[in-house]
Amino acid sequence: MIKAIIFDFDGTIIDTETAWYVAFRDAYKEHGVELTLEKYSECLGTSLHSFNPYTYLSTDCNIDLDLDAFRAAMQARHAELMMQEQVRPGILNYLEKAKAAGLKIGLASSSHREWVDRFVAQLGIADYFECYRTADNVKHVKPDPELYTQSLECLGVEAGEAIAIEDSPNGAKAAVAAGIYTLVIPNTITKQLPFGTGHTMIESLEGHDFDEMLAGLSTPSSS
């Protein structure tokens, strides 16, 4: 029986990822460097250890940059682009349905808590979540499953009693590795990336009936 649902944040609840890519892609172009989606995807849904878009022009392209000024410019551009973003389609309905069904609701993000809190408050959805697990809580972020295993422990449920909602390959890997049924709703950027296996992918939560999904996962044949 399903007892909990755990949401990723960036790219899943609100599409922060497309705005970041556009901001960095345009800035790189000004310096004569093409930032491919393949390269940028190395930091999607995970840490900046594999690819740090703030420092790459300096460390790998040998371009003389004021890194503090560049970081500030990117953050300002991202904030500007985010003014156009809203909660992704179907998310609020799923939050409402989960709450009405008595499910425990968690949030598992590779971002830091300060970042998550900022947008959760802005969107007015903080009251839905009873458990937050972010980069501040773990040694390893996604695709490591630690964020999800900690979320399960926090919510007091087993992996087979939970659903994860994700948008990126790294996030899906993490949830699947934790043994959680994973529903992937890729966004504008992540739908262009290669995904692994073990999850269910749909275009949007809109039109994907929550009650039917819950009923299907709660039957003995789906366990």
Side-chain angles (χ1 to χ4, degrees):
M1 179 179 179
I2 299 300
K3 299 179 180 178
I5 185 166
I6 306 169
F7 289 82
D8 169 54
F9 183 70
D10 291 284
T12 297
I13 290 179
I14 185 172
D15 186 4
T16 57
E17 293 170 346
T18 299
W20 278 126
Y21 177 61
V22 169
F24 281 111
R25 180 200 65 193
D26 293 351
Y28 277 44
K29 188 176 181 180
E30 292 178 5
H31 291 280
V33 177
E34 179 187 6
L35 178 59
T36 65
L37 181 57
E38 180 182 11
K39 185 63 181 176
Y40 185 72
S41 69
E42 293 178 21
C43 68
L44 281 177
T46 186
S47 69
L48 302 184
H49 291 154
S50 295
F51 169 66
N52 188 328
Y54 290 107
T55 60
Y56 182 79
L57 288 176
S58 175
T59 59
D60 290 65
C61 302
N62 298 314
I63 294 173
D64 187 20
L65 281 180
D66 181 330
L67 294 180
D68 289 336
F70 183 70
R71 179 181 293 272
M74 290 301 93
Q75 291 175 347
R77 178 57 176 152
H78 181 265
E80 180 184 351
L81 291 170
M82 285 302 297
M83 295 292 290
Q84 307 167 33
E85 293 293 336
Q86 301 293 328
V87 176
R88 291 191 65 200
I91 290 290
L92 288 177
N93 179 56
Y94 260 53
L95 287 170
E96 284 289 348
K97 290 281 191 178
K99 186 176 181 179
L103 299 189
K104 297 179 178 181
I105 306 175
L107 190 150
S109 173
S110 291
S111 294
H112 288 282
R113 181 65 185 267
E114 181 180 7
W115 170 265
V116 171
D117 283 347
R118 170 185 163 191
F119 283 102
V120 166
Q122 178 180 308
L123 297 171
I125 58 175
D127 290 344
Y128 286 106
F129 304 103
E130 57 188 275
C131 172
Y132 290 81
R133 287 297 179 268
T134 67
D136 304 284
N137 302 112
V138 297
K139 292 181 179 179
H140 304 289
V141 295
K142 304 166 187 176
D144 190 284
E146 188 177 4
L147 278 164
Y148 277 107
T149 56
Q150 280 202 21
S151 294
L152 292 172
E153 183 178 357
C154 175
L155 294 170
V157 299
E158 300 295 328
E161 298 173 327
I163 302 167
I165 309 293
E166 274 287 352
D167 76 291
S168 71
N170 282 323
K173 286 178 185 177
V176 170
I180 303 172
Y181 173 79
T182 306
L183 190 61
V184 174
I185 47 167
N187 57 50
T188 303
I189 293 296
T190 58
K191 69 181 180 182
Q192 302 176 58
L193 303 175
F195 279 78
T197 58
H199 58 265
T200 298
M201 184 178 291
I202 61 173
E203 186 174 339
S204 171
L205 291 184
E206 275 193 330
H208 190 76
D209 190 88
F210 179 87
D211 295 321
E212 289 184 7
M213 177 192 68
L214 198 61
L217 291 175
S218 297
T219 59
S221 61
S222 67
S223 59

